Amino acid sequence: MNGNATTRHNNVALLAVASTIAPRITTSHEIDQQLAPVLKRLRLPQGLLQRVAGVHERRNWDDGQKFDDAAVSAGKRALHEAGVEPGQVGLLINTSVTRKHLEPSVAVRIHHGLGLPSSATNFDIANACLGFVNGMTLAGQLIDSGQIDYAVVIDGEDADDIQVNTIERLSNGEIGRKDFMSEFASLTLGSGAAAAVLGRADAHPSAHRMLGGVTRAATEFNALCVGSVDGMFTDAKALLKGGMQLVVSAWTEAKRDWDWSNMDRYILHQVSDVHTNAILKATHMDRSRVPLTYPKFGNVGPASIPITLADEAKSLKKGDRVLLMGVGSGLNTAMMEIAW
C-alpha cells in the first residue's frame, strides 16, 4: 500500500461557494508598531511579516460581530446561489477551528441560524486547516451513498483573541528571540468565513463535478504546531521540512491514480510566501495558476481554501480543472480535484 487514502466520487457536484470577509483591516505595519520595543530589544528588523511571510494585511471582526454569525451569512448566500432551500439540506458539517466553548458543537448554532430542518444531521469536524476539504469529502461520500441529496460544509474563524494575546505576550520584556519566533506564525492569522453547498451531480448537470482526491498523514510531527486561543506555538523550520516531505510523498504517489501536473488552477491553503514557494518548487506548479489571498487576508485556517476558491470562481470557466490542496497541523495533507 502506498499510504494514500484515495477517494473517487461518482455523483457529487459543488453547487456554490461563498465567503464572508471580515471588515476590519489590521496591517502588518500596525503590528510592527505595537511590537517595536521588543523588536528593537531582540535586534529583529521590522517588516518580517511582509518580507518573510508575505502577509501585508489580515482581517478582523468589528465589535459585536461573531464568527458563527458570519458563517451563517456565508451559508445563506451559498444556498441562495445554489438554488437550494434550507429544508432540502440533509447534512451540515462545521469545520471551524474557532470555538468559544467545548460543547455544544458550533454546528448546532449554525444549523439553527440557517433554519435547517431537524432531519439535517449536523456536527463539527476538527482537523486544523484541512477541515473544510475533509468535510467536503465526507459530505460527498454521503451524497454518493444516496443517504442525502444536499450538504452544507461551512467554516468561521476568529483570530482576534489569539492576535491580541500573542502581541501582549511578545511585548513582555523577558521574552527571548527563540520564543518570539516560535509565535511568529500567530501574527499571520486572520478572521473570515466560508460555506459550500454540495449536491447530486445528476440533478445539477451544469454544476462543478467533485472528482475525488487523496489524503496522507505524518502524525509523527504532531507537536510541531500547537495552538489555542492563547497562542500558536510553532517549530517553523521543522514544520516546513516535515510538511514538504508529506506533500511530496502524497503528490508523487497520487500519480498512480491522478494527473495533476497541468491543472488550470491550484487552490492552496494560504499560509505564507515561504510555504507557497516551497510547494511550487517541489511540485513544479505553474506559479501563474496559483492565486494568493494570504497577502491581504492572512492565514484564515480551514476557511482559507474556500475563501480563495470563492474569490477565483468568477474567473473560472466551464471545463477548467481545479485542485484544492493543503497541509494541516498534525501533520495531514489533502488534495481534491474539481471539474469546473
Side-chain angles (χ1 to χ4, degrees), residues 212-333:
V214 301
T215 63
R216 185 177 176 88
T219 54
E220 63 270 28
F221 299 120
N222 66 82
L224 295 184
C225 181
V226 179
S228 70
V229 70
D230 293 324
M232 187 168 70
F233 303 88
T234 303
D235 183 338
K237 184 175 181 180
L239 186 67
L240 180 63
K241 181 179 179 181
M244 289 312 304
Q245 289 174 350
L246 178 63
V247 167
V248 171
S249 295
W251 179 268
T252 301
E253 294 174 3
K255 291 179 181 178
R256 185 191 65 180
D257 303 299
W258 305 90
D259 179 11
W260 292 327
S261 60
N262 192 33
M263 307 297 286
D264 295 289
R265 208 75 91 248
Y266 296 93
I267 307 295
L268 305 185
H269 171 51
Q270 302 291 306
V271 182
S272 68
D273 278 349
V274 173
H275 176 271
T276 302
N277 290 337
I279 288 181
L280 294 179
K281 181 179 180 181
T283 60
H284 306 291
M285 289 179 187
D286 183 343
R287 182 179 291 272
S288 68
R289 302 181 186 186
V290 182
L292 303 180
T293 55
Y294 62 78
K296 58 181 179 180
F297 297 143
N299 178 352
V300 200
S304 71
I305 286 178
I307 284 175
T308 307
L309 181 61
D311 196 49
E312 284 295 298
K314 56 184 176 293
S315 66
L316 292 170
K317 60 184 184 297
K318 187 173 179 59
D320 281 349
R321 298 177 65 202
V322 180
L323 186 68
L324 312 185
M325 179 177 174
V327 180
S329 300
L331 289 167
N332 286 291
T333 189

Side-chain angles (χ1 to χ4, degrees), residues 88-110:
Q88 297 175 276
V89 175
L91 173 68
L92 169 77
I93 300 178
N94 166 67
T95 68
S96 307
V97 170
T98 301
R99 57 188 314 111
K100 296 300 184 182
H101 40 67
L102 293 177
E103 59 176 298
S105 68
V106 178
V108 297
R109 169 71 178 85
I110 297 174

